[in-house]
Amino acid sequence: MLNQETARGGQIAPALLGVVLGTAAQLQQAQLWGWEAYLFLALCGFLSFSLPRWGRAGVGAALRSLTIFLSATLLVFSLTALRATAFLADALSPSIEGRDITVTGIVSAMPQRSDIGIRFRFDTESARVADQPVRIPPRILLGWYNDAQRASPELRAGERWQFNVRLKAPHGNSNPHGFDYELWLWEQGLQATGYVRTDPRDEPLRLAQTWRRPIELARQSVRDAILNHVQDRKAAGILAALVVGDQNAIERADWDIFRATGVAHLMSISGLHVTMFAWAASLAIGFAWRRSRRLCLRLPAQHAALAGGIVLATAYALFSGWGVPAQRTVWMLATVGILRFSGRRWPWPHVWLVACAVVVVIDPWALLQPGFWLSFVAVGVLFAAGPAASDSEPASRMQKGRAMLMSAWREQWIVTVALTPLTLLLFGQVSVVGLLANAFAIPWVTLVVTPLSLLGIALHRIWDAAAWAVQALAAWLELLAAFPLATVSLPTAPLWAGVAGVVGGLLLVMRLPAGIRLLGLPLLFPVLVWQGTRPAQGQFELMAVDIGQGNAVVVRTASHTLMYDAGPRYSAESDAGHRVIVPLLRARGERVDVLMLSHRDSDHTGGAAAVLAMHKHAMLHSSLEEGHELQALRPSRRCEAGQRWQWDGVDFEVMHPRAQDYESAVKPNAISCVLRVSNGASTALLAGDIEAAQEARLVRESMQGQLRADLLLVPHHGSKTSSTGDFLGAVAPSHAIVQAGYRNRYGHPAPVVMDRYRERAIAVTASPDCGAATWDSARAFTVACHRTGDPRYWRHRSAP
């Protein structure tokens, strides 16, 4: 029997490793092959399992394990790719992007309202363009934005509507260390985004309320009841997030506190919530089951409790929105439950690998999500560390309670130490107060707030008690977040350093001799002290960040950093600073010395407040008027032509505006700060939103060759008002970068303007196609694109 179990274990482990590695290999593909190739590889993988069995020992067993590993790898690689190929077959055709499409379908999920309108998922039933039927993806993400005359209507899940919409392919910002929005859309099954047209000639039509989405309709009703009953907006948002999974109900300022204190994982329906719900449900079912002798004779109480806990946890996950973290937990619980029902007692590494493999087979793209790694590494660490040693069984209830508290504290300490390197690798920051915050927040949220929130569905008054519990938690977290060093941010280290750090953290917390545990300390050093490379003395680097429609450029020298513009504001709760620029600067370990805002337009200043909040020592240079709201955050030095300074052998010079231009300017574009950066050999010119009149003055009044630059930030995003022929002739760049949003409403960059660049043999790099564009003065002949430098098959490629 022992030999059989050993042999079975020797076959299971290679197969499970093959599942994970086969999936990981497929996710590295830049482009998918034809489905025939994957079908052939899948057949090969399946047939290889049927090869003659070699011996059970020695070389024969090793060959058998290798065959199983390679077969599982090949089979899962192929099946994952076939799924991706089938999904891509429903992609939006480029020929109908941006055209008016009449669609009929069902609101498939609880809509999300914000200050600018409402966003919702829509399952399409039919679509027509110019009265001709067309094929569009089965599920799309739509926005219905407020206009000057009226706000967007209230939508209910399950309603059938007919709209005029404009769609575009899934497209997100592409930046180093940035959020992969296109991957998120892929994993959610969304293959197009767009907005509802509110033309009075084609009014949207509510056709019927169906019962096609009863769970989503119930979620929406509960969410609305919470928001209407609880007066405290902060508490109401948190309760809505915990009950129905509406994370958008939580305000951004609260998310900042949760991240600073390391409890953000508690404020969304995560694996912890589902697991705790399953545990509580199994205890209740087991207690009730044992009261009936007849039920116990039919099915042992422990089996009934296990099955009931998993079923009720699945129901909770469905009601909370069936988010990806909740799904992963349900599959993991189901896998462990099946193993328990079968009577198998596998070693913990096998159980852990089986749960991991099941999740990966069901959702292969989970391997690319930080939450997947944090969840499974945490579980693996707790398995590996083992339970705390105890000399004797606790005798009294007080001793048992104290033992439980010490065990919970030990587990939290173990997870904190082991996951700190991984957290730094994934997010670039870690909460110093996270251990203290979670010590109170985890039991408070799971044992007090969440149960009260769920009971409030039956009796709304209980939500008042839940709101009080949230307020008590918020007071504790705000106190911790106010500490000067509540969080530590470090440059993001390479993968090998993060892996070494996780291994080091695991060694420190495992029950091993002290000498072996101390070996984990040097493994932590790379991820803790990592510093990225910077330009050499006398050189500089420029990165045009991909922030959509707006400008945001990071200029680095050997020891200084300048930020030119800070991107757009997307809504009252979202801007380029919080979403893109601050995470990028943190991951690169940047310390901004100067933030220069070219002018007051919101597509240039939208993220400035977030950048200034992160870099409290940064000086602000701008053309902002004295009463501007940003002046209250940081007094600004006015940009004026002739201002100069030097950093690390690199010269910075403001070319525009002149002092008198502030008095005569009709609109903000006319006083955009124009910055010239040069080391004598290579030059970059950042032109803001200057227009033809300002370009003509610069050409007319600049000395011969003063405007000459190797790189030009295209003025005004490529608008028809700018990039005149005389200006391009005077600058004569070899490369130009245009920052604009994908299929933006302004039509930037204008085709006629791009023709001028082509006529002068100027290579133009556009952010929708390139993502973040990096140019180095030491290699002035090329621009590096993040989107093309790290391609994946789910990432959007613009049609030629």
Side-chain angles (χ1 to χ4, degrees):
M1 178 66 71
L2 182 61
N3 289 337
Q4 291 178 354
E5 289 294 327
T6 303
R8 189 180 296 115
Q11 296 176 13
I12 291 172
L16 298 177
L17 287 173
V19 168
V20 176
L21 293 179
T23 304
Q26 197 282 323
L27 298 182
Q28 301 306 308
Q29 283 197 284
Q31 253 181 324
L32 294 174
W33 308 328
W35 64 268
E36 301 89 349
Y38 295 122
L39 190 61
F40 173 76
L41 291 176
L43 183 61
C44 291
F46 178 77
L47 292 177
S48 63
F49 275 116
S50 305
L51 291 175
R53 292 173 176 260
W54 289 288
R56 297 291 184 181
V59 176
L63 287 175
R64 179 61 182 168
S65 296
L66 180 62
T67 303
I68 292 173
F69 168 76
L70 294 176
S71 300
T73 300
L74 196 60
L75 187 61
V76 173
F77 175 93
S78 305
L79 294 179
T80 302
L82 284 171
R83 285 177 59 183
T85 303
F87 184 72
L88 276 180
D90 290 325
L92 182 70
S93 170
S95 64
I96 59 175
E97 278 192 282
R99 299 184 63 183
D100 286 345
I101 307 174
T102 302
V103 298
T104 302
I106 302 292
V107 178
S108 61
M110 178 176 66
Q112 306 287 337
R113 181 167 289 281
S114 69
D115 61 299
I116 61 173
I118 193 168
R119 291 186 70 78
F120 57 99
R121 302 182 186 195
F122 196 68
D123 286 353
T124 61
E125 296 175 333
S126 65
R128 302 179 70 86
V129 173
D131 292 329
Q132 296 298 316
V134 294
R135 187 179 181 214
I136 64 173
R139 176 165 292 181
I140 58 180
L141 181 64
L142 292 175
W144 193 332
Y145 301 111
N146 304 329
D147 57 34
Q149 286 74 35
R150 58 183 176 178
S152 55
E154 290 297 328
L155 300 181
R156 306 290 293 176
E159 287 181 337
R160 177 176 283 109
W161 280 80
Q162 179 177 293
F163 307 115
N164 267 357
V165 302
R166 286 188 179 177
L167 300 178
K168 62 182 180 180
H171 187 95
N173 301 325
S174 178
N175 295 290
H177 316 291
F179 175 67
D180 193 339
Y181 180 62
E182 292 162 31
L183 174 62
W184 181 84
L185 289 172
W186 176 285
E187 197 169 20
Q188 300 296 316
L190 299 165
Q191 294 177 282
T193 63
Y195 63 94
V196 176
R197 299 267 290 164
T198 54
D199 191 330
R201 294 170 297 180
D202 290 300
E203 284 286 337
L205 298 177
R206 181 188 275 112
L207 301 178
Q209 172 69 60
T210 73
W211 292 98
R212 296 267 296 273
R213 296 292 183 272
I215 295 177
E216 289 297 324
L217 184 59
R219 291 179 64 223
Q220 186 174 356
S221 299
V222 171
R223 191 266 310 269
D224 294 345
I226 292 174
L227 297 180
N228 290 331
H229 181 84
V230 180
Q231 299 302 312
D232 184 347
R233 292 295 88 191
K234 175 187 294 187
I238 294 173
L239 296 182
L242 292 175
V243 175
V244 299
D246 185 8
Q247 297 183 43
N248 292 328
I250 300 179
E251 297 179 356
R252 188 178 70 185
D254 295 325
W255 277 121
D256 292 340
I257 292 175
F258 299 151
R259 294 188 184 99
T261 53
V263 302
H265 63 102
L266 293 174
M267 302 306 161
S268 57
I269 305 300
S270 64
L272 177 63
H273 295 87
V274 177
T275 303
M276 293 298 292
F277 190 92
W279 170 74
S282 64
L283 286 180
I285 293 172
F287 178 81
W289 202 271
R290 291 184 180 91
R291 307 279 78 80
S292 170
R293 178 176 298 178
R294 180 180 300 176
L295 291 176
C296 289
L297 290 174
R298 288 181 175 273
L299 184 68
Q302 62 268 30
H303 286 178
L306 179 61
I310 294 173
V311 169
L312 290 180
T314 302
Y316 175 49
L318 285 168
F319 188 74
S320 64
W322 198 235
V324 174
Q327 292 180 42
R328 289 198 297 260
T329 306
V330 167
W331 305 136
M332 184 178 69
L333 290 174
T335 302
V336 174
I338 291 172
L339 291 176
R340 293 286 298 273
F341 277 124
S342 68
R344 299 181 185 277
R345 295 294 184 266
W346 287 355
W348 74 259
H350 287 177
V351 176
W352 183 74
L353 276 174
V354 166
C356 179
V358 168
V359 170
V360 167
V361 168
I362 294 173
D363 180 14
W365 299 276
L367 272 178
L368 300 171
Q369 301 293 346
F372 172 88
W373 293 103
L374 290 172
S375 299
F376 275 97
V377 171
V379 172
V381 164
L382 290 175
F383 270 133
S390 177
D391 296 332
S392 60
E393 287 290 327
S396 65
R397 289 185 178 180
M398 182 175 294
Q399 289 176 329
K400 289 181 179 179
R402 186 169 60 182
M404 290 178 62
L405 286 175
M406 292 302 296
S407 176
W409 175 262
R410 175 179 177 271
E411 288 180 358
Q412 186 60 42
W413 165 255
I414 287 171
V415 170
T416 300
V417 172
L419 291 191
T420 292
L422 183 59
T423 303
L424 286 172
L425 179 68
L426 295 173
F427 303 110
Q429 68 174 4
V430 67
S431 174
V432 176
V433 298
L435 184 61
L436 282 176
N438 280 283
F440 174 70
I442 289 177
W444 190 253
V445 171
T446 55
L447 301 179
V448 179
V449 177
T450 302
L452 289 175
S453 302
L454 293 173
L455 289 173
I457 298 175
L459 185 61
H460 291 358
R461 290 181 180 177
I462 299 178
W463 281 331
D464 296 327
W468 174 86
V470 168
Q471 291 165 355
L473 174 64
W476 169 243
L477 296 179
E478 288 172 5
L479 179 66
L480 293 178
F483 287 178
L485 293 177
T487 60
V488 172
S489 298
L490 296 174
T492 300
L495 179 61
W496 66 265
V499 172
V502 172
V503 173
L506 180 59
L507 284 176
L508 287 174
V509 300
M510 289 183 68
R511 301 190 61 80
L512 295 171
I516 297 178
R517 292 169 66 185
L518 288 176
L519 293 176
L521 289 176
L523 293 176
L524 292 174
F525 287 157
V527 74
L528 296 177
V529 302
W530 179 264
Q531 294 293 325
T533 59
R534 296 191 68 88
Q537 180 72 17
Q539 301 292 344
F540 66 99
E541 177 194 86
L542 181 149
M543 175 186 284
V545 186
D546 187 10
I547 39 76
Q549 183 67 25
N551 278 154
V553 180
V554 181
V555 182
R556 302 197 307 160
T557 66
S559 60
H560 291 84
T561 301
L562 177 141
M563 187 87 215
Y564 182 86
D565 282 339
R569 177 178 294 278
Y570 306 121
S571 68
E573 290 290 309
S574 177
D575 59 65
H578 274 93
R579 282 176 49 180
V580 181
I581 299 171
V582 166
L584 173 65
L585 294 174
R586 180 188 297 124
R588 288 161 61 95
E590 300 294 346
R591 180 182 183 274
V592 175
D593 299 286
V594 170
L595 170 61
M596 178 174 286
L597 300 177
S598 61
H599 61 297
R600 73 182 321 275
D601 286 356
S602 63
D603 57 333
H604 297 253
T605 63
V611 175
L612 291 173
M614 177 187 179
H615 299 275
K616 300 185 183 301
H617 62 280
M619 294 186 295
L620 178 61
H621 294 201
S622 73
S623 60
L624 301 177
E625 68 276 14
E626 290 187 3
H628 194 279
E629 59 185 7
L630 289 173
Q631 295 273 18
L633 300 178
R634 194 77 45 87
S636 173
R637 179 187 181 188
R638 177 183 279 188
C639 293
E640 289 187 6
Q643 293 172 345
R644 295 180 178 86
W645 70 92
Q646 187 179 88
W647 286 340
D648 307 314
V650 178
D651 296 316
F652 293 75
E653 180 181 2
V654 177
M655 306 288 291
H656 180 79
R658 302 167 301 178
Q660 60 267 35
D661 292 334
Y662 286 93
E663 307 301 327
S664 60
V666 177
K667 56 182 180 178
N669 288 357
I671 52 173
S672 290
C673 302
V674 176
L675 182 66
R676 182 177 185 269
V677 186
S678 179
N679 63 357
S682 300
T683 302
L685 187 66
L686 310 180
D689 276 3
I690 60 171
E691 298 181 352
Q694 293 77 50
E695 291 179 355
R697 188 198 67 79
L698 284 170
V699 172
R700 185 174 60 252
E701 298 182 6
S702 298
M703 294 185 298
Q704 182 70 28
Q706 190 178 8
L707 285 181
R708 175 73 177 86
D710 300 280
L711 179 77
L712 172 67
L713 181 65
V714 174
H716 203 181
H717 321 288
S719 167
K720 294 178 182 178
T721 64
S722 308
S723 296
T724 60
D726 289 344
F727 180 73
L728 294 182
V731 178
S734 55
H735 291 277
I737 296 175
V738 55
Q739 290 187 292
Y742 176 67
R743 300 193 69 87
N744 63 85
R745 58 178 175 159
Y746 308 103
H748 295 161
V752 64
V753 173
M754 291 297 97
D755 288 341
R756 295 179 201 150
Y757 283 83
R758 278 189 289 270
E759 289 167 2
R760 291 161 178 81
I762 302 171
V764 178
T765 300
S767 55
D769 301 322
C770 177
T774 303
W775 178 86
D776 193 323
S777 62
R779 293 178 292 276
F781 52 85
T782 184
V783 173
C785 291
H786 184 262
R787 182 176 290 275
T788 56
D790 185 29
R792 293 291 186 274
Y793 58 81
W794 58 83
R795 290 183 182 153
H796 178 239
R797 294 176 177 86
S798 298

